[in-house]
């Protein structure tokens, strides 16, 4: 069950990222959570949760990369 939930979260993250790119190109600006929710047919809260998880994952990746670069020097 947990594995299925993790796969669903990864799929949601990919969908949200792709939708953000599509709308950025279409609108020539960052899409609002409401615009993303409308495109994806998701509740706004789902967009906010997935976006928050993506930001956290990116911050962790950035921190790990900085640690690696610091160690390489």
């Amino acid at each position: 069950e947990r594995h299925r939930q993790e796969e669903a979260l990864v799929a949601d993250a990919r969908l949200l990222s792709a939708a953000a790119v599509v709308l950025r190109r279409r609108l020539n600006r960052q899409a609002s959570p409401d615009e993303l929710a409308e495109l994806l047919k998701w509740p706004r809260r789902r967009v906010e949760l997935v976006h928050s998880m993506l930001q956290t994952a990116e911050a962790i990746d950035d921190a790990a990369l900085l640690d690696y670069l610091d160690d390489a020097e």
Side-chain angles (χ1 to χ4, degrees), residues 17-61:
S17 295
V21 170
V22 166
L23 286 178
R24 188 178 321 116
R25 290 179 179 162
R26 201 180 284 172
L27 303 171
N28 293 316
R29 62 173 172 79
Q30 293 291 102
S32 71
D34 287 329
E35 291 166 329
L36 288 163
E38 183 178 336
L39 179 66
L40 293 166
K41 307 291 188 235
W42 291 357
R44 179 189 168 110
R45 184 69 184 136
R46 183 175 174 186
V47 169
E48 292 168 343
L49 286 171
V50 174
H51 179 72
S52 176
M53 286 185 255
L54 277 172
Q55 286 183 316
T56 300
E58 288 171 358
I60 291 169
D61 283 347

